[in-house]
Amino acid sequence: MTTRRIEITVGIFVALGLAALFMLAVQVSNLGEYRGGDGYEVHAYFNNIGGLKVRAPVTMAGVRVGRVTAITYDAERYQARVSFTISARYDQLPTDTQASIYTAGLLGEQYIALEPGGEDEVLRDGDVILFTQSALVLEELIGRVLVNLTGN
Amino acid sequence: MGSLQRLGRWTLGVLERLGRGHLFLLRTLLAMGTLVRRPGLLLREIYSVGVLSLLIVAVSGLFVGMVLGYQGYITLVDFGAAEALGTVVALSLVRELGPVVTALLFAGRAGSALTAEIGLMKTTEQLSSMEMMAVDPYKRVIAPRFLAGVISMPLLAAIFSAVGVAGGYFIGVGVLGVDSGAYWSQMQASVDFHEDIMNGVIKSMVFGVVAAWIAVFEGYDATPTSEGVSRATTRTVVHTALAILALDFILTGLMFGDI
């Protein structure tokens, strides 16, 4: 083995390792989404967020436009405060956009679905979405059905 | 009284060895400076430690990924969630199997060779003759081998995971008929770069330090007889495997335990 051959094979090895890491970053993980700036942050208050988690998707017409970044409890309003980042490409959301928490599939993860309103003004960084719809909690729903059944 | 004395002697022996191991690591780290001036030494060791381990790591990664593809599919298809196969394969590889299995293979393939090489150098008094010629064996022999292991391990683990994901794709999409788009999109939706991939890389770095440290120390500390070298080689593989599995448990608890 000459030094030259060793150097070349080591170079190939290191390049392969870095290429594998790059492939993991771009093809396997969510790093690809972060391209082109962060976007802007919007807040919304919900009575009940069900099982919503940080990093859950935010969708518009079923297309992912952002991610939930923080969930905190607001002690003054007795509500959950959900912050999410929307990609800067989607900066045309009206101020009366509605945010609802839905479940993907019967037992799937929960996500926020945005439905556009009719205002001309658009949402900016730090704005609060006024119209929200809480998550459906299965037990609550069953309870309501049972009350209705026994009531009649 | 006799058994108490034996227990005490054993404890002192273990503590003494641990102390020697740490002093050895310190001297190795201090000797690292020469490698900046003579990178050729390091390259040669990366070749024998990393490049020559490439084939076994890549082939094992492929098979582990393919097995995960089958097993994940069989479990998930009962719940109608076969699309989540990509998530299962990628998360188990990137978080656990990639770093751990690579480190175990590394211990068997490269660690044992390092121990045997250094142990034989000691047995045949090559290390002492180096010292006679005022060549520091830490700078000339130990430090390049140690650093080569530390550098090679994360690269090998990344290759293992990438090949494994491709193997899972081959079985899941090619053989079992999972949708190709769903395989990748579900994977990208639930694998986080910082949380999952970087934590996996940190794990493999820690394992690299531990595996390389144990291998070179066992070689340097071996009893200079043929039996001593063979024992040291066995100890390298056993101790590295135990250390890596225990460390993996602790690291996983620290990284993913607070959910």
Side-chain angles (χ1 to χ4, degrees), chain A residues 1 3 6-7 9-10 13-14 16-18 20-21 23-31 33-34 55 64 67, chain B residues 43-44 46-47 50-51 54 90 94 152 155-156 158-159 161-162 165 184 187-189 191-193 195 197 201:
Chain A
M1 260 309 190
T3 313
I6 287 178
E7 281 172 357
T9 42
V10 169
F13 168 64
V14 173
L16 260 181
L18 294 180
L21 203 60
M23 180 250 183
L24 288 177
V26 174
Q27 183 73 23
V28 174
S29 83
N30 55 6
L31 197 67
E33 284 172 30
Y34 291 137
R55 295 211 287 128
R64 176 196 293 256
R67 247 173 207 290
Chain B
L43 274 184
R44 199 165 278 271
I46 291 183
Y47 177 79
V51 177
L54 192 57
V94 167
S152 302
L155 296 172
L156 288 171
I159 291 170
S161 299
V165 168
W184 293 117
M187 190 186 291
Q188 285 162 6
V191 180
D192 188 68
F193 180 72
E195 211 125 288
I197 295 192
V201 171

Side-chain angles (χ1 to χ4, degrees), chain B residues 97-238:
Chain B
L97 292 173
V100 172
V101 178
T102 308
L104 294 179
L105 290 172
F106 181 89
R109 166 67 186 75
S112 55
L114 282 179
T115 307
E117 190 185 8
I118 297 175
L120 271 176
M121 279 186 180
K122 190 180 178 188
T123 310
T124 53
E125 293 177 347
Q126 293 180 47
L127 293 182
S128 334
S129 15
M130 274 185 194
E131 276 169 0
M132 295 264 277
M133 295 185 287
V135 176
D136 186 355
Y138 278 94
K139 288 181 182 165
R140 185 70 178 73
V141 176
I142 309 288
R145 284 168 174 73
F146 175 75
L147 191 62
V150 174
I151 292 175
S152 302
M153 185 77 84
L155 296 172
L156 288 171
I159 291 170
F160 185 97
S161 299
V163 173
V165 168
Y169 178 85
F170 171 67
I171 291 298
V173 177
V175 178
L176 297 169
V178 176
D179 182 58
S180 164
Y183 184 86
W184 293 117
S185 68
Q186 290 262 346
M187 190 186 291
Q188 285 162 6
S190 25
V191 180
D192 188 68
F193 180 72
H194 299 283
E195 211 125 288
D196 298 318
I197 295 192
M198 284 324 282
N199 274 346
V201 171
I202 291 171
K203 263 188 186 179
S204 59
M205 282 175 175
V206 174
F207 295 165
V209 172
V210 170
W213 175 22
I214 292 180
V216 288
F217 175 67
E218 288 292 356
Y220 193 78
D221 201 50
T223 318
T225 56
S226 26
E227 197 196 355
V229 174
S230 91
R231 280 203 180 160
T233 314
T234 313
R235 265 207 308 269
T236 296
V237 177
V238 174

Side-chain angles (χ1 to χ4, degrees), chain A residues 5-84:
Chain A
R5 288 266 304 275
I6 287 178
E7 281 172 357
I8 291 171
T9 42
V10 169
I12 293 171
F13 168 64
V14 173
L16 260 181
L18 294 180
L21 203 60
F22 183 74
M23 180 250 183
L24 288 177
V26 174
Q27 183 73 23
V28 174
S29 83
N30 55 6
L31 197 67
E33 284 172 30
Y34 291 137
R35 273 175 304 192
D38 298 280
Y40 57 101
E41 195 171 50
V42 178
H43 313 287
Y45 290 91
F46 292 94
N47 289 325
N48 192 338
I49 57 160
L52 192 72
K53 297 261 165 45
V54 174
R55 295 211 287 128
V58 176
T59 66
M60 185 102 196
V63 180
R64 176 196 293 256
V65 295
R67 247 173 207 290
V68 173
T69 49
I71 299 173
T72 49
Y73 174 66
D74 189 323
E76 283 174 23
R77 302 175 63 141
Y78 301 106
Q79 279 183 321
R81 183 174 192 265
V82 177
S83 312
F84 43 91

